[in-house]
């Protein structure tokens, strides 16, 4: 079983930055990536970014956040980060850390374990 604990959410002004952290504990498997999804009220949970643990740590991003968000990892700390720059009001959502059990990184069906979520609110 894997436990994921997010932190770093909060209120930020448009154009500002925020860094989210996700610490993984338990029997986390590094055979699969970790990543971030987000969900705004009344909307489906959508893919944001993902990163592989092994090798060069391949990165994956949703088109809506490319060039603004950066996902990274610290293998020693078993922690994944999401650096969010140039934030926009449409980025407002609950952000969920995700540990995958499948290979389709953009689909929630590939996620085996979720964090409880951290609220990100971007004001105009």
């Amino acid at each position: 079983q894997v436990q994921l604990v997010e932190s770093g959410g909060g209120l930020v002004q448009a154009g500002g930055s925020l860094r989210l952290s996700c610490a993984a504990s338990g029997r986390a498997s590094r055979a699969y990536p970790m990543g971030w999804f987000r969900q705004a009220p009344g909307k489906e949970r959508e893919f944001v970014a993902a990163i592989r643990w092994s090798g060069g740590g391949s990165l994956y991003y949703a088109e809506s956040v490319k060039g603004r968000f950066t996902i990274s990892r610290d293998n020693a700390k078993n922690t994944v980060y999401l650096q969010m720059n140039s934030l926009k009001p449409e980025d407002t959502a609950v952000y969920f850390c995700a540990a995958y059990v499948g290979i389709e990184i953009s689909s929630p069906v590939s996620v085996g374990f979720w964090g409880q979520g951290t609220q990100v609110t971007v004001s105009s």
Side-chain angles (χ1 to χ4, degrees):
Q1 186 170 343
V2 176
Q3 181 181 4
L4 305 175
V5 180
E6 303 103 329
S7 62
L11 175 65
V12 66
Q13 192 173 7
S17 299
L18 208 59
R19 189 183 74 158
L20 307 183
S21 299
C22 175
S25 62
R27 295 185 179 183
S29 175
R30 294 191 175 185
Y32 298 99
M34 289 185 63
W36 294 90
F37 288 71
R38 67 187 182 186
Q39 188 166 21
K43 298 183 65 177
E44 293 288 308
R45 189 168 297 186
E46 66 174 341
F47 169 75
V48 177
I51 186 169
R52 305 195 69 87
W53 289 106
S54 60
S58 298
L59 309 177
Y60 308 87
Y61 295 100
E63 287 295 328
S64 60
V65 306
K66 281 185 178 179
R68 299 189 298 119
F69 291 9
T70 303
I71 189 169
S72 61
R73 58 177 167 85
D74 186 330
N75 288 5
K77 295 182 178 180
N78 214 31
T79 299
V80 174
Y81 304 94
L82 185 68
Q83 180 66 45
M84 310 163 67
N85 298 328
S86 301
L87 282 162
K88 305 174 181 179
E90 54 261 43
D91 295 318
T92 296
V94 177
Y95 284 70
F96 296 90
C97 185
Y100 288 83
V101 296
I103 62 174
E104 297 182 16
I105 54 91
S106 64
S107 175
V109 75
S110 292
V111 176
F113 303 94
W114 298 96
Q116 294 190 55
T118 184
Q119 177 71 49
V120 172
T121 302
V122 184
S123 63
S124 59

